[in-house]
């Protein structure tokens, strides 16, 4: 009895040839796709709401910028330690033989922002009478009142702490606080591979920023001269 067996063509490599079957796409694959047209349609239907939200945020930002936020002005003074031999005053010997060594440069940066030097700036310009630097002269807002209340409850003293001090201690406390505020407004930067120092002040007045920065530079130079002359 002859049995018909379907013939199959075998390739030379011994593998069976025929059409390649690809896995059918399922509904799970379709769920991963984003319908861009539907998304754009949903956004278009809510265009008025989106536009209204954008206008509100822009208006709030503009109101804060022009009516609430305090503008700040930045001024930068530059001091250059010139070591040329032909100068009348040899700054290299006066300043103590400064070189391009990074440790020496970093030390001078620390001197420029030291509390002792800033204290001289505070005293010379009488910054303890400036409400921007002496916070005790500022009118208290709601946030400040809440902080004072919390300090008084937890033993921090609050704004009445200064009133309980002696006049001498009160003066010292205000001066120290003023120096800290000035330090926060100060940025000292050394220009890489040079003996140039940039002293930047940021205050509510352009003239005030320039005056404080220039005064600090002058006090720094005088301080270095005094240190060198005392050493000799």
């Amino acid at each position: 009895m002859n049995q018909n067996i379907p013939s199959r063509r075998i390739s030379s490599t011994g593998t069976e040839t025929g059409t390649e079957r690809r896995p059918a796409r399922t509904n799970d694959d379709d769920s991963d796709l984003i319908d861009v047209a539907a998304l754009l349609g949903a956004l278009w239907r809510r265009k008025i709401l989106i536009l209204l939200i954008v206008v509100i945020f822009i208006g709030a930002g503009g109101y804060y910028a022009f009516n609430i936020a305090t503008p700040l002005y930045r001024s930068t003074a530059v001091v250059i330690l010139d070591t040329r031999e032909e100068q009348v005053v040899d700054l290299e010997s006066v300043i103590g033989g400064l070189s391009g060594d990074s440790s020496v440069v970093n030390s001078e940066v620390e001197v420029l922002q030291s509390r002792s030097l800033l204290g001289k700036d505070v005293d010379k310009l009488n910054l303890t009478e400036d409400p921007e630097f002496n916070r005790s002269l500022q009118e208290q807002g709601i946030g400040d009142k809440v902080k004072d209340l919390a300090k008084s409850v937890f033993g921090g003293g609050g704004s009445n702490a200064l009133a309980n001090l002696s006049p001498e201690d009160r003066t010292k406390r205000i001066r120290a606080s003023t120096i800290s505020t000035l330090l926060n407004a100060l940025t000292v930067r050394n220009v890489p591979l040079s003996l140039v120092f940039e002293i930047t002040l940021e205050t509510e007045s352009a003239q005030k920023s320039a005056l404080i920065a220039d005064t600090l530079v002058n006090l720094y130079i005088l301080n270095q001269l005094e240190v060198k002359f005392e050493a000799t």
Side-chain angles (χ1 to χ4, degrees), residues 136-155:
S136 63
L137 300 178
Q138 298 178 359
E139 294 184 2
Q140 285 190 330
I142 297 178
D144 295 329
K145 293 180 180 179
V146 172
K147 290 180 181 179
D148 283 342
L149 179 61
K151 288 181 179 179
S152 61
V153 171
F154 295 102

Side-chain angles (χ1 to χ4, degrees), residues 19-187:
T19 57
E20 180 182 358
R21 293 185 178 181
R22 297 181 180 180
R25 294 180 60 181
T26 63
N27 293 331
D28 293 338
D29 297 331
D30 295 336
S31 62
D32 295 336
L33 300 178
I34 299 176
D35 192 342
V36 178
L39 178 61
L40 293 178
L43 293 176
W44 178 254
R45 287 192 298 271
R46 294 171 175 81
K47 60 182 181 297
I48 297 179
L49 178 61
I50 296 175
L51 180 61
L52 180 61
I53 294 175
V54 172
V55 170
I56 290 175
F57 274 95
I58 293 177
Y63 178 80
Y64 176 82
F66 291 102
N67 296 280
I68 299 178
T70 302
L72 296 177
Y73 300 89
R74 183 177 300 172
S75 179
T76 300
V78 177
V79 57
I80 303 175
L81 303 181
D82 194 352
T83 58
R84 293 177 300 179
E85 296 181 356
E86 65 271 20
Q87 60 191 25
V88 177
V89 179
D90 186 0
L91 280 181
E92 184 175 8
S93 61
V94 172
I95 302 302
L98 285 177
S99 64
D101 184 71
S102 60
S103 61
V104 177
V105 171
N106 292 335
S107 298
E108 293 307 308
V109 171
E110 293 301 320
V111 171
L112 279 166
Q113 56 189 8
S114 63
R115 295 184 66 88
S116 60
L117 185 62
L118 294 181
K120 295 179 180 180
D121 205 0
V122 168
D123 297 336
K124 187 175 183 62
L125 300 178
N126 198 22
L127 295 181
T128 54
E129 301 299 326
D130 189 336
E132 183 177 358
F133 292 96
N134 184 0
R135 302 293 176 82
S136 63
L137 300 178
Q138 298 178 359
E139 294 184 2
Q140 285 190 330
I142 297 178
D144 295 329
K145 293 180 180 179
V146 172
K147 290 180 181 179
D148 283 342
L149 179 61
K151 288 181 179 179
S152 61
V153 171
F154 295 102
S159 59
N160 295 326
L162 290 176
N164 299 328
L165 296 176
S166 64
E168 182 179 357
D169 291 338
R170 184 174 183 272
T171 300
K172 291 181 180 179
R173 180 74 65 83
I174 292 177
R175 184 176 183 273
S177 177
T178 304
I179 293 174
S180 298
T181 305
L182 177 59
L183 181 60
N184 292 333
L186 172 69
T187 302

Side-chain angles (χ1 to χ4, degrees), residues 75 121 125 201 206-218:
S75 179
D121 205 0
L125 300 178
L201 255 296
Q207 293 79 8
K208 184 192 302 184
S209 298
L211 177 61
I212 295 176
D214 291 340
T215 303
L216 185 61
V217 167
N218 294 332

